[in-house]
Amino acid sequence: MSFIYPHWDTDYVVLNVSLDSVTFKKYYEYMPALSDFRVSRSLLWEVFTSGFAMALMYCVVDFGSVIFQSANNVLGEVYIAAFSAAKTWIDIIMSPASMISTAFATFVGQNRGAGKFDRIRNTLKSILIVEILYGFFSCFIAYVAGPALVAFSTGSHDETLIYNAALSLRIHLPLSPALGV
């Protein structure tokens, strides 16, 4: 484009710089200062310990998955496929509950910072009810539609695969209402 407008690049830069200078002058009080990036040691420690606890939880869960998967691999291809199909549906079915929890964590953080603890308490009651009801709904799905979901996702008509994957759904998902608490 600079071959058509030889000074287009420099004109654009000058215009952009002049607009930025107007923005900085007009909205100077909203610009972050160096003091805005200073964090207290207590806050750093709180963030570190929260992150460490979360990382430890993920390590324990993943370590359990590795142990289970290595035991599952000994059983054969049909059981590996059944476990994979069940795990896929468990992840899909539990995603809304996970997203609700993530949204609530953000809500709690914002309201805790604002000092509105009554909003946190009231919303916690609603979230617990929603999570528990969704847990029972996911159990219902596992018991009613489990075999159909597995057959749909695997494309298989193997009765052993469908039975074991549906059994896995029926064992795992009844625990989901407890996750809401």
Side-chain angles (χ1 to χ4, degrees):
M1 194 150 203
S2 61
F3 64 90
I4 297 173
Y5 303 105
H7 301 291
W8 187 85
D9 292 335
T10 56
D11 291 343
Y12 177 75
V13 170
V14 169
L15 175 66
N16 194 17
V17 169
S18 64
L19 287 175
D20 286 345
S21 64
V22 169
T23 303
F24 283 123
K25 287 178 186 173
K26 189 171 184 178
Y27 300 104
Y28 181 74
E29 68 241 17
Y30 299 115
M31 299 303 296
L34 187 59
S35 62
D36 294 327
F37 296 101
R38 291 194 182 109
V39 180
S40 67
R41 288 182 182 249
S42 63
L43 180 61
L44 281 175
W45 182 250
E46 185 179 340
V47 169
F48 173 75
T49 54
S50 297
F52 186 76
M54 194 175 283
L56 184 62
M57 180 203 60
Y58 280 120
C59 286
V60 169
V61 169
D62 288 341
F63 185 67
S65 294
V66 167
I67 291 172
F68 182 80
Q69 189 64 45
S70 61
N72 191 24
N73 289 344
V74 175
L75 298 175
E77 292 177 0
V78 172
Y79 295 99
I80 294 170
F83 171 73
S84 297
K87 180 93 170 87
T88 300
W89 280 108
I90 290 169
D91 290 345
I92 289 170
I93 291 171
M94 293 309 296
S95 286
S98 176
M99 294 304 116
I100 291 170
S101 299
T102 302
F104 183 63
T106 304
F107 178 83
V108 167
Q110 290 172 345
N111 283 288
R112 182 176 179 216
K116 298 185 177 187
F117 296 102
D118 56 328
R119 288 184 70 189
I120 294 172
R121 261 185 247 101
N122 293 336
T123 307
L124 176 62
K125 292 173 188 174
S126 301
I127 293 294
L128 285 174
I129 291 169
V130 168
E131 289 274 356
I132 292 170
L133 288 176
Y134 184 76
F136 285 121
F137 175 71
S138 65
C139 292
F140 177 76
I141 289 174
Y143 278 90
V144 172
L149 292 174
V150 172
F152 173 74
S153 66
T154 60
S156 175
H157 300 293
D158 185 349
E159 290 181 22
T160 306
L161 186 148
I162 293 171
Y163 171 78
N164 284 295
L167 179 65
S168 179
L169 288 174
R170 291 173 180 163
I171 290 171
H172 285 95
L173 289 176
L175 301 173
S176 61
L179 294 175
V181 177

